[in-house]
mmCIF file of all heavy atoms in Angstrom:
data_model
loop_
_atom_site.group_PDB
_atom_site.id
_atom_site.type_symbol
_atom_site.label_atom_id
_atom_site.label_comp_id
_atom_site.label_asym_id
_atom_site.label_seq_id
_atom_site.Cartn_x
_atom_site.Cartn_y
_atom_site.Cartn_z
ATOM 1 N N LYS A 52 64.555 66.338 282.393
ATOM 2 C CA LYS A 52 64.642 65.282 283.421
ATOM 3 C C LYS A 52 66.110 64.878 283.626
ATOM 4 O O LYS A 52 66.548 64.660 284.770
ATOM 5 C CB LYS A 52 63.820 64.086 282.974
ATOM 6 C CG LYS A 52 63.812 62.918 283.974
ATOM 7 C CD LYS A 52 63.192 63.328 285.301
ATOM 8 C CE LYS A 52 63.023 62.160 286.263
ATOM 9 N NZ LYS A 52 61.981 61.223 285.833
ATOM 10 N N TYR A 261 64.711 56.216 277.245
ATOM 11 C CA TYR A 261 65.554 55.409 278.126
ATOM 12 C C TYR A 261 66.132 56.258 279.246
ATOM 13 O O TYR A 261 66.290 55.789 280.387
ATOM 14 C CB TYR A 261 66.674 54.786 277.300
ATOM 15 C CG TYR A 261 67.510 53.768 278.036
ATOM 16 C CD1 TYR A 261 67.098 52.441 278.106
ATOM 17 C CD2 TYR A 261 68.705 54.118 278.637
ATOM 18 C CE1 TYR A 261 67.858 51.504 278.779
ATOM 19 C CE2 TYR A 261 69.472 53.188 279.306
ATOM 20 C CZ TYR A 261 69.059 51.869 279.372
ATOM 21 O OH TYR A 261 69.806 50.947 280.036
ATOM 22 N N TRP A 262 66.509 57.504 278.935
ATOM 23 C CA TRP A 262 67.071 58.382 279.970
ATOM 24 C C TRP A 262 66.003 58.803 280.978
ATOM 25 O O TRP A 262 66.289 58.983 282.176
ATOM 26 C CB TRP A 262 67.669 59.640 279.357
ATOM 27 C CG TRP A 262 68.838 59.434 278.446
ATOM 28 C CD1 TRP A 262 68.918 59.794 277.119
ATOM 29 C CD2 TRP A 262 70.087 58.816 278.760
ATOM 30 N NE1 TRP A 262 70.129 59.458 276.598
ATOM 31 C CE2 TRP A 262 70.886 58.852 277.575
ATOM 32 C CE3 TRP A 262 70.632 58.241 279.896
ATOM 33 C CZ2 TRP A 262 72.183 58.339 277.520
ATOM 34 C CZ3 TRP A 262 71.922 57.732 279.848
ATOM 35 C CH2 TRP A 262 72.672 57.784 278.680
ATOM 36 N N TYR A 263 64.771 58.958 280.499
ATOM 37 C CA TYR A 263 63.694 59.433 281.357
ATOM 38 C C TYR A 263 63.232 58.334 282.322
ATOM 39 O O TYR A 263 62.986 58.581 283.503
ATOM 40 C CB TYR A 263 62.517 59.879 280.479
ATOM 41 C CG TYR A 263 61.463 60.685 281.222
ATOM 42 C CD1 TYR A 263 61.515 62.063 281.262
ATOM 43 C CD2 TYR A 263 60.418 60.042 281.876
ATOM 44 C CE1 TYR A 263 60.578 62.799 281.939
ATOM 45 C CE2 TYR A 263 59.442 60.761 282.533
ATOM 46 C CZ TYR A 263 59.535 62.157 282.579
ATOM 47 O OH TYR A 263 58.581 62.879 283.249
ATOM 48 N N GLY A 264 63.139 57.134 281.784
ATOM 49 C CA GLY A 264 62.641 56.027 282.598
ATOM 50 C C GLY A 264 61.219 55.683 282.225
ATOM 51 O O GLY A 264 60.514 56.459 281.553
ATOM 52 N N TYR A 265 60.777 54.492 282.619
ATOM 53 C CA TYR A 265 59.467 53.997 282.246
ATOM 54 C C TYR A 265 58.597 53.801 283.481
ATOM 55 O O TYR A 265 59.077 53.388 284.546
ATOM 56 C CB TYR A 265 59.620 52.678 281.488
ATOM 57 C CG TYR A 265 60.545 52.773 280.291
ATOM 58 C CD1 TYR A 265 61.892 52.445 280.417
ATOM 59 C CD2 TYR A 265 60.071 53.234 279.058
ATOM 60 C CE1 TYR A 265 62.749 52.544 279.328
ATOM 61 C CE2 TYR A 265 60.924 53.328 277.976
ATOM 62 C CZ TYR A 265 62.269 52.986 278.115
ATOM 63 O OH TYR A 265 63.114 53.095 277.033
ATOM 64 N N VAL A 270 58.366 46.246 287.171
ATOM 65 C CA VAL A 270 59.635 46.102 286.471
ATOM 66 C C VAL A 270 60.633 47.152 286.935
ATOM 67 O O VAL A 270 61.819 46.863 287.124
ATOM 68 C CB VAL A 270 59.415 46.212 284.946
ATOM 69 C CG1 VAL A 270 60.745 46.152 284.204
ATOM 70 C CG2 VAL A 270 58.494 45.094 284.462
ATOM 71 N N SER A 271 60.171 48.371 287.169
ATOM 72 C CA SER A 271 61.080 49.438 287.561
ATOM 73 C C SER A 271 61.723 49.175 288.898
ATOM 74 O O SER A 271 62.850 49.594 289.160
ATOM 75 C CB SER A 271 60.335 50.779 287.595
ATOM 76 O OG SER A 271 59.864 51.129 286.285
ATOM 77 N N ASN A 272 61.023 48.475 289.758
ATOM 78 C CA ASN A 272 61.624 48.117 291.051
ATOM 79 C C ASN A 272 62.680 47.065 290.926
ATOM 80 O O ASN A 272 63.632 47.011 291.702
ATOM 81 C CB ASN A 272 60.504 47.641 292.009
ATOM 82 C CG ASN A 272 59.597 48.752 292.447
ATOM 83 O OD1 ASN A 272 60.015 49.908 292.478
ATOM 84 N ND2 ASN A 272 58.349 48.403 292.761
ATOM 85 N N LEU A 273 62.558 46.194 289.906
ATOM 86 C CA LEU A 273 63.507 45.101 289.725
ATOM 87 C C LEU A 273 64.632 45.446 288.778
ATOM 88 O O LEU A 273 65.763 44.958 288.940
ATOM 89 C CB LEU A 273 62.754 43.856 289.198
ATOM 90 C CG LEU A 273 61.651 43.312 290.094
ATOM 91 C CD1 LEU A 273 60.942 42.165 289.385
ATOM 92 C CD2 LEU A 273 62.223 42.838 291.419
ATOM 93 N N LEU A 274 64.365 46.282 287.781
ATOM 94 C CA LEU A 274 65.348 46.562 286.745
ATOM 95 C C LEU A 274 65.746 48.026 286.822
ATOM 96 O O LEU A 274 64.938 48.923 286.556
ATOM 97 C CB LEU A 274 64.741 46.259 285.368
ATOM 98 C CG LEU A 274 65.677 46.281 284.172
ATOM 99 C CD1 LEU A 274 66.773 45.220 284.304
ATOM 100 C CD2 LEU A 274 64.894 46.048 282.885
ATOM 101 N N ALA A 275 67.019 48.277 287.140
ATOM 102 C CA ALA A 275 67.488 49.652 287.325
ATOM 103 C C ALA A 275 67.337 50.475 286.075
ATOM 104 O O ALA A 275 66.969 51.652 286.109
ATOM 105 C CB ALA A 275 68.946 49.641 287.787
ATOM 106 N N ALA A 276 67.610 49.853 284.905
ATOM 107 C CA ALA A 276 67.567 50.604 283.654
ATOM 108 C C ALA A 276 66.178 51.147 283.369
ATOM 109 O O ALA A 276 66.031 52.167 282.667
ATOM 110 C CB ALA A 276 68.027 49.734 282.502
ATOM 111 N N ALA A 277 65.137 50.502 283.874
ATOM 112 C CA ALA A 277 63.782 50.994 283.645
ATOM 113 C C ALA A 277 63.523 52.294 284.375
ATOM 114 O O ALA A 277 62.542 52.981 284.092
ATOM 115 C CB ALA A 277 62.769 49.928 284.078
ATOM 116 N N ARG A 278 64.386 52.659 285.317
ATOM 117 C CA ARG A 278 64.250 53.920 286.062
ATOM 118 C C ARG A 278 65.063 55.036 285.395
ATOM 119 O O ARG A 278 65.273 56.071 285.997
ATOM 120 C CB ARG A 278 64.679 53.723 287.504
ATOM 121 C CG ARG A 278 63.869 52.694 288.257
ATOM 122 C CD ARG A 278 64.060 52.758 289.753
ATOM 123 N NE ARG A 278 65.435 52.487 290.174
ATOM 124 C CZ ARG A 278 65.942 51.274 290.357
ATOM 125 N NH1 ARG A 278 65.175 50.206 290.141
ATOM 126 N NH2 ARG A 278 67.201 51.105 290.736
ATOM 127 N N GLY A 279 65.499 54.810 284.155
ATOM 128 C CA GLY A 279 66.163 55.871 283.425
ATOM 129 C C GLY A 279 67.566 56.141 283.928
ATOM 130 O O GLY A 279 68.236 55.292 284.521
ATOM 131 N N LEU A 280 68.044 57.374 283.695
ATOM 132 C CA LEU A 280 69.377 57.768 284.127
ATOM 133 C C LEU A 280 69.522 57.612 285.621
ATOM 134 O O LEU A 280 70.579 57.186 286.118
ATOM 135 C CB LEU A 280 69.646 59.217 283.699
ATOM 136 C CG LEU A 280 70.990 59.793 284.136
ATOM 137 C CD1 LEU A 280 72.159 59.016 283.539
ATOM 138 C CD2 LEU A 280 71.085 61.277 283.735
ATOM 139 N N ARG A 281 68.469 57.904 286.383
ATOM 140 C CA ARG A 281 68.543 57.769 287.829
ATOM 141 C C ARG A 281 68.882 56.324 288.222
ATOM 142 O O ARG A 281 69.734 56.068 289.072
ATOM 143 C CB ARG A 281 67.216 58.183 288.456
ATOM 144 C CG ARG A 281 67.247 58.176 289.991
ATOM 145 C CD ARG A 281 65.894 58.568 290.567
ATOM 146 N NE ARG A 281 65.480 59.886 290.080
ATOM 147 C CZ ARG A 281 65.935 61.031 290.597
ATOM 148 N NH1 ARG A 281 66.824 61.026 291.586
ATOM 149 N NH2 ARG A 281 65.495 62.182 290.115
ATOM 150 N N GLY A 282 68.204 55.375 287.577
ATOM 151 C CA GLY A 282 68.462 53.973 287.908
ATOM 152 C C GLY A 282 69.860 53.541 287.518
ATOM 153 O O GLY A 282 70.488 52.757 288.250
ATOM 154 N N LEU A 283 70.375 54.032 286.403
ATOM 155 C CA LEU A 283 71.732 53.691 285.977
ATOM 156 C C LEU A 283 72.763 54.176 287.004
ATOM 157 O O LEU A 283 73.684 53.445 287.364
ATOM 158 C CB LEU A 283 72.029 54.279 284.599
ATOM 159 C CG LEU A 283 71.158 53.758 283.429
ATOM 160 C CD1 LEU A 283 71.502 54.494 282.142
ATOM 161 C CD2 LEU A 283 71.355 52.246 283.244
ATOM 162 N N GLU A 285 72.244 54.977 290.152
ATOM 163 C CA GLU A 285 72.055 54.276 291.437
ATOM 164 C C GLU A 285 72.686 52.876 291.381
ATOM 165 O O GLU A 285 73.237 52.399 292.395
ATOM 166 C CB GLU A 285 70.560 54.154 291.744
ATOM 167 C CG GLU A 285 69.908 55.469 292.165
ATOM 168 C CD GLU A 285 68.410 55.352 292.322
ATOM 169 O OE1 GLU A 285 67.848 54.362 291.818
ATOM 170 O OE2 GLU A 285 67.801 56.247 292.909
ATOM 171 N N SER A 286 72.647 52.237 290.232
ATOM 172 C CA SER A 286 73.183 50.865 290.154
ATOM 173 C C SER A 286 74.708 50.837 290.174
ATOM 174 O O SER A 286 75.298 49.782 290.415
ATOM 175 C CB SER A 286 72.687 50.199 288.862
ATOM 176 O OG SER A 286 73.295 50.785 287.707
#
Side-chain angles (χ1 to χ4, degrees):
K52 182 62 174 290
Y261 188 85
W262 297 121
Y263 193 93
Y265 305 94
V270 176
S271 296
N272 290 332
L273 299 175
L274 189 63
R278 300 194 298 276
L280 177 62
R281 184 181 303 280
L283 296 176
E285 288 174 344
S286 70

